[in-house]
Amino acid sequence: MLRTTVFAVTSCILLAGCGGGRSDTSSFAQMSGPWSAQFTCADGSALKVRYEPDHAVIRTSDGEALILPAVEAGRYETNRNALLLRGKGAAWMVAGRVTDCTAA
């Protein structure tokens, strides 16, 4: 009985922590934890990228946190920003300006 109760409580806690649906940018800005990739860009900026099934969460070196939907394999973009993966590097676009980035 005690084992069943502990399992049920643990399951509820884990499920509550998982949440459902997409979070807004402000909640991602406060998250910490492992990131899937880090890039150093030619323009001096740096990116931390966490890949999710349908989007990428990007934190820039100036503290901005962005969610870019996956458009196709290796390409994440909105109408203002885009991240295009290229081998071990990437191209980072902000408002039409492109800079090359290398994995850090």
Side-chain angles (χ1 to χ4, degrees), residues 1 26 34 37 42-43 48 52-53 55 58 61 77 79 83-84 98:
M1 176 73 172
S26 62
D43 67 357
K48 290 183 178 180
E52 301 290 342
H55 64 279
I58 300 172
S61 54
E77 69 180 283
N79 59 351
L83 179 70
L84 294 84
V98 180

Side-chain angles (χ1 to χ4, degrees), residues 5-96:
T5 302
V6 170
F7 178 76
V9 170
T10 303
S11 296
C12 288
I13 291 170
L14 290 173
L15 289 174
C18 293
R22 297 176 98 173
S23 298
D24 64 6
T25 302
S26 62
S27 65
F28 280 111
Q30 298 172 3
M31 293 179 76
S32 62
W35 292 86
S36 299
Q38 295 185 20
F39 295 97
T40 303
C41 302
D43 67 357
S45 63
L47 306 172
K48 290 183 178 180
V49 182
R50 184 175 58 238
Y51 302 102
E52 301 290 342
D54 63 345
H55 64 279
V57 180
I58 300 172
R59 186 174 297 173
T60 65
S61 54
D62 64 358
E64 187 175 14
L66 306 161
I67 300 172
L68 276 60
V71 176
E72 59 188 44
R75 184 180 182 99
Y76 304 87
E77 69 180 283
T78 63
N79 59 351
R80 184 176 189 277
N81 301 88
L83 179 70
L84 294 84
L85 302 179
R86 298 178 177 165
K88 293 186 179 184
W92 173 237
M93 291 190 279
V94 178

